[in-house]
Amino acid sequence: MTDVIVVGSGIAGLTAALHAAERGCHVTVVTKGALADTNTRWAQGGIAAVTATDDTVASHVADTVTAGVGLNDSAAVQTLVSEGPDRIAELVRRGVAFDRAADGDFARGLEAAHARPRVLHAGGDATGAAIQAALGAAVRSAGIEMREHTTVRDLMVAGGRVVGVEVETDGVRRRLTADAVILATGGAGQLYSHTTNPVSATGDGIAAALRAGAAVADLEFVQFHPTALAIGDTFLVSEAVRGDGATLIDDDGRRFAFDAHPDGELAPRDVVARANARAMAAQGGRPVRLDATGLGAERLARRFPTIDAAVRARGLDWSREPIPVTPAAHYLMGGVVTDLDGRTTVPGLYAVGETARTGVHGANRLASNSLLEGAVFGARAGEAAATDTAWPRVEAPAAIALPLVPAAADAPAFSRARLQELMWRHAGLVRHDAGLRHAVGILAAWVADARPRSAEDAGLLLLSQHVVAAALARTDSIGAHFRSDDGDPAVASLPATEALAC
Ligand code: SIN
């Protein structure tokens, strides 16, 4: 029997686990928190797929490629979109109750850069939570072994092949051997001081893959969501709210998004995020505001119950007044290079979901394609792990070497908060050469400092070096990677914690 270890328990990991188990594998899911402590659980907007009779694969493909500015891998996009409907049917079979319209058909939301409403949702804006609950129940009833609160310290590599993982539970280390290891640890929003991601999103899988010698790519492409609540802890306000008609206004009450793009608030996410940043810069860094008053209290509470509760918990009534919003780090388009079945460049090692880089998103991910990515490529990787008998060559873009810059002599002592602030300021929404080079020097100083740090922090530090190197290497602006070497005002516009700045 094939032994498969899946690291991570969001939609990509649990889908991979279920498919491998249904193919007769012995599957163990390892996750550093509780089963449901995932990025998936926080997904609000929904899952994009072609499910309407008047929608087409060609249209969803075109929207995905337009958002990705054509840098997408076309086979990956075709796979994502054409297999989407089957994965939606699978989720329904596993118990996800997507919201329905009065005629019983799926209710479909509109989100930015989609040509038509095609985003399925559940519980209004609790889509991720509904998927997490259904898949969690499915893995438990499939008898899949679960190791919760267990951290993967490293991948075990022997003879150029991944042969298991070294894990730690309650301070006790163990080695778990496997025929295949599937990394599904999500993204790395915790690289930044402002993120919509939970604290668990520390890029552990990408860092472990890097240490095992796997190829990575596209790490310069970090997506910043345009609308996180700018009051209290960072909290996502779904794109679906703008899809429903909410607008963005500045201090003068002016809608500014049309200055940046003819689609205004429904332009691709990177465009709207930068438009927000520039409007903030023009008004002294104060957040812009999302005006959802036209939707009415009843609709806001029914369609967006999670956001409604978060907004009200901050003492705001968004049915009566616009709410302050700001961009925040949201999604990593780059990651561990894989083929369309999740195989990485290291035999025995697979990666899926936000951890992976299939090339499907190009330079910028289309809204609500991420849950779909987890479902489609998770299923494919689970199948491949169960059936692979040989390891085909996996092509990877040319590797980007870490720049050889001397360690900064004046670097402050390392802390997670300082790392996040450094990345926010110099490798965030807008980058420039001098800032990136400054970041390289500080990161080098922190790496050279041999004081012990947590596995998560070591991984974040390693990943930061690769993100900054990739951002330095791509000197043009495209999609989510925006260079402004002549001093775009948006560079200085976003909130930063002055005391920590470096
Ligand atoms: C959102 O609801 O705006 C986020 C969904 C996504 O990241 O695609």
Side-chain angles (χ1 to χ4, degrees), residues 42-46 111 223 225-227 236-242 269 307 330-331 365-371:
W42 293 98
Q44 294 176 356
E111 289 186 18
Q223 183 174 80
H225 198 287
T227 56
L236 178 68
V237 181
S238 175
E239 192 123 356
V241 179
R242 276 173 285 129
R269 202 170 268 179
I307 306 167
H330 184 63
Y331 186 89
R365 175 175 64 76
L366 181 67
S368 288
N369 266 358
S370 57
L371 290 176

Side-chain angles (χ1 to χ4, degrees), residues 165-243:
V165 291
E166 197 179 309
V167 299
E168 185 173 324
T169 318
D170 296 331
V172 179
R173 290 205 187 194
R174 270 190 204 86
R175 291 159 78 83
L176 308 176
T177 56
D179 301 294
V181 173
I182 303 178
L183 296 173
T185 56
Q190 292 299 325
L191 286 172
Y192 293 93
S193 45
H194 303 275
T195 177
T196 60
N197 293 185
V199 288
S200 57
T202 47
D204 308 347
I206 305 174
L210 273 166
R211 289 192 296 268
V216 296
D218 291 352
L219 291 175
E220 67 274 36
F221 296 122
V222 179
Q223 183 174 80
F224 290 79
H225 198 287
T227 56
L229 267 177
I231 180 167
D233 291 343
T234 308
F235 190 86
L236 178 68
V237 181
S238 175
E239 192 123 356
V241 179
R242 276 173 285 129

